[in-house]
């Protein structure tokens, strides 16, 4: 369609593979898990190159900068070229800690219930 430069945030997040389905992406927007400049956004918010979003998925709290717009969902290798991941180091360390304790099957000493 000529003149269709607007891309909704829910579709964009699904296209870059932060969510498995578009309905999960839209639900995250409605639940306030997608923020732009500290404010929750609606699923219909148009995305622009250079926008910075905070996105909370089941696994991770992402901070991304939009570097390109995608009209269709593409494979992961292509999708990662359309955003820059600026997630803080503390969040990445937290994920690594969780993954380490999860995969070993052992819980950290003196943390949580036996």
């Amino acid at each position: 369609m000529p003149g269709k430069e607007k891309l909704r945030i829910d579709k964009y997040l699904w296209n870059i593979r932060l969510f498995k389905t578009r309905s999960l992406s839209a639900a995250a927007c409605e639940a306030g898990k997608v923020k732009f400049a500290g404010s929750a956004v609606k699923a219909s918010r148009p995305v622009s190159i250079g926008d910075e979003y905070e996105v909370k998925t089941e696994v991770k709290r992402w901070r991304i900068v939009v570097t390109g717009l995608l009209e269709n969902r593409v494979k992961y290798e292509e999708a990662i070229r359309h955003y820059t991941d600026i997630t803080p180091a503390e969040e990445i360390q937290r994920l690594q800690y969780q993954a380490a304790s999860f995969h070993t099957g052992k819980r950290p000493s003196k943390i949580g219930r036996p």
Side-chain angles (χ1 to χ4, degrees):
M1 269 189 257
K4 186 182 179 194
E5 286 100 31
K6 296 198 181 202
L7 181 63
R8 293 167 50 111
I9 184 69
D10 63 335
K11 187 173 182 184
Y12 176 77
L13 294 174
W14 175 63
N15 287 347
I16 63 168
R17 298 187 167 269
L18 291 194
F19 292 95
K20 287 183 181 177
T21 66
R22 186 165 171 192
S23 57
L24 284 174
S25 177
C29 293
E30 300 310 318
K33 294 181 179 180
V34 180
K35 296 183 178 175
F36 176 74
S39 302
V41 297
K42 292 185 178 181
S44 60
R45 183 186 198 285
V47 178
S48 301
I49 292 176
D51 286 356
E52 187 177 315
Y53 292 96
E54 253 182 76
V55 183
K56 187 175 180 198
T57 63
E58 286 181 21
V59 181
K60 177 179 173 182
R61 283 191 179 116
W62 295 82
R63 284 188 67 102
I64 61 167
V65 176
V66 179
T67 58
L69 302 179
L70 280 168
E71 283 300 319
N72 299 310
R73 188 169 165 96
V74 294
K75 62 184 176 180
Y76 174 77
E77 292 79 16
E78 177 72 20
I80 58 174
R81 293 189 217 142
H82 292 85
Y83 67 91
T84 304
D85 186 353
I86 57 167
T87 303
E90 311 87 65
E91 176 67 12
I92 294 166
Q93 288 171 349
R94 184 184 69 81
L95 286 171
Q96 288 170 341
Y97 175 76
Q98 283 180 339
S101 63
F102 176 77
H103 292 300
T104 61
K106 297 179 182 175
R107 65 180 181 81
S109 177
K110 298 182 178 63
I111 296 178
R113 295 184 61 173

